[in-house]
Amino acid sequence: MEPTPLILPRSKLHYTRSPVDGCIYRILIALPEEPPPPDGYPAIFLLDANATFLTTVESLRMRSRRTGSTGIEPAVIVGIGYDTSGAYDEERRIYDFTRSDTNVAQRTSRSAHTTGGSAFFARFIDEIVRPLAANEAPLNLARQSLIGHSLGGCFVLSRLLEHPQSFESYIAISPSIWSDEAWLLEQIEHLPARFIDASPRRVLITVGEFEQSIAPWQSSLPDIERIIAMRSERAMRDKARNMASNLVHTTKDMGPNRLIVRFEELLGEDHSSSALVGISHGLRMALWAGAAALHNVP
């Protein structure tokens, strides 16, 4: 028999342009097999979708078939990716996920013009991507989540801190807090005043065990001393744990379960592999009705 193209059932690929500068994005949407609940499907908005969309869809579909056992209910996956054949568009994601005065340009030897698009990207999600997804399936506006990894995780935290009402759940996987730490910590102080409704919000912050040190399989990397020094300076694990603690401390007077925060150090994972494991854990944080029980930050 002749081979045939591999097709992901109940999924579509849209191409859409940014109204700001004409950048072409791929919007990948996967629908559940199950009929929508009365209030509409929950929705997961996934950054860097070129790299993670297929894995996320299969992880969700495999487990949502047995919600009672897995704690994960069916949802629509909305991936936001780029018009490139690679897993990432490095230049564009740096622009989309950062403010203009972050540390990224200085610390990655990139010119300053490659940063500063996060406000435009947030508007693109709200004004273009969300309506596009809502045209594909009935969505529950109160059950929507944002997932990002690395600089995408930092963007997720910035959305939580500036506009906590934008999503119900914020999944920040290995967030590059080093890139904008001072600003993020400053914004935490304003978070209680920005909660404009009584609905609880959920936050999962994860980091791989080997993001602040060298994994055994990385010991032969060239320029290993420079890598060790960089990881020590960026302090991914310490800054992620500190961010979770600061979120809880700042919002503790808002009442129980207003902000459900979970921190996880993913054992055996490095910065790349943490993305897949973090997404898996994030789906439960976002889609389990009993997620308040997952709060683990004192």
Side-chain angles (χ1 to χ4, degrees):
M1 297 178 64
E2 290 295 320
T4 60
L6 178 64
I7 297 174
L8 186 66
R10 299 183 60 78
S11 301
K12 290 184 179 180
L13 168 61
H14 296 263
Y15 290 88
T16 185
R17 290 184 181 273
S18 165
V20 175
D21 62 4
C23 175
I24 299 176
Y25 292 87
R26 294 179 182 176
I27 310 301
L28 304 96
I29 301 176
L31 306 181
E33 295 180 359
E34 298 80 0
D39 293 333
Y41 293 113
I44 303 291
F45 290 81
L46 178 71
L47 307 181
D48 285 326
N50 295 56
T52 57
F53 179 75
L54 296 177
T55 298
T56 304
V57 172
E58 290 305 305
S59 178
L60 173 61
R61 288 181 174 177
M62 181 180 70
R63 292 184 287 170
S64 63
R65 295 175 60 250
R66 303 174 66 237
T67 299
S69 297
T70 64
I72 293 177
E73 60 186 297
V76 173
I77 302 291
V78 184
I80 305 169
Y82 299 99
D83 189 22
T84 177
S85 59
Y88 298 96
D89 184 332
E90 295 288 354
E91 291 290 339
R92 186 66 195 195
R93 72 188 295 272
I94 288 176
Y95 176 75
D96 283 343
F97 298 160
T98 61
R99 301 183 311 111
S100 58
D101 55 347
T102 68
N103 294 323
V104 175
Q106 297 89 335
R107 298 197 188 188
T108 59
S109 301
R110 299 175 187 272
S111 56
H113 76 273
T114 61
T115 64
S118 61
F120 298 123
F121 187 60
R123 286 186 55 194
F124 174 72
I125 293 174
D126 289 343
E127 298 175 10
I128 305 296
V129 178
R130 291 175 110 161
L132 179 64
N135 283 336
E136 293 292 339
L139 302 183
N140 186 338
L141 297 179
R143 298 289 316 283
Q144 300 193 0
S145 306
L146 182 64
I147 299 180
H149 170 251
S150 193
L151 279 178
C154 196
F155 176 81
V156 168
L157 291 176
S158 73
R159 294 302 293 157
L160 164 69
L161 297 175
E162 288 192 291
H163 300 282
Q165 69 276 12
S166 295
F167 294 91
E168 179 188 37
S169 298
Y170 296 83
I171 313 302
I173 304 165
S174 301
S176 299
I177 294 170
W178 58 267
S179 69
D180 211 5
E181 183 179 19
W183 182 84
L184 290 168
L185 294 176
E186 176 185 334
Q187 296 305 308
I188 287 179
E189 299 303 317
H190 302 290
L191 184 58
R194 292 172 177 165
F195 269 76
I196 61 174
D197 60 43
S199 301
R201 294 291 183 265
R202 310 173 183 188
V203 182
L204 174 64
I205 299 175
T206 71
V207 65
E209 176 186 4
F210 296 115
E211 297 201 50
Q212 199 167 313
S213 60
I214 299 298
W217 51 88
Q218 297 171 338
S219 59
S220 60
L221 286 172
D223 204 6
I224 192 68
E225 295 302 323
R226 181 192 63 82
I227 295 173
I228 292 172
M230 180 186 69
R231 292 185 183 181
S232 176
E233 179 187 7
R234 292 183 175 183
M236 294 281 286
R237 182 188 63 236
D238 295 346
K239 293 182 188 299
R241 188 188 303 274
N242 184 56
M243 178 63 62
S245 297
N246 280 328
L247 285 170
V248 172
H249 175 75
T250 304
T251 59
K252 66 180 185 301
D253 294 331
M254 291 169 44
N257 294 334
R258 290 296 306 282
L259 191 67
I260 301 163
V261 181
R262 183 172 181 83
F263 172 79
E264 294 186 16
E265 182 175 345
L266 305 174
L267 298 182
E269 306 303 336
D270 56 39
H271 188 67
S272 294
S273 65
S274 69
L276 305 182
V277 179
I279 287 171
S280 177
H281 292 205
L283 291 175
R284 179 171 291 112
M285 188 71 174
L287 297 173
W288 181 35
L294 299 177
H295 182 103
N296 71 345
V297 181

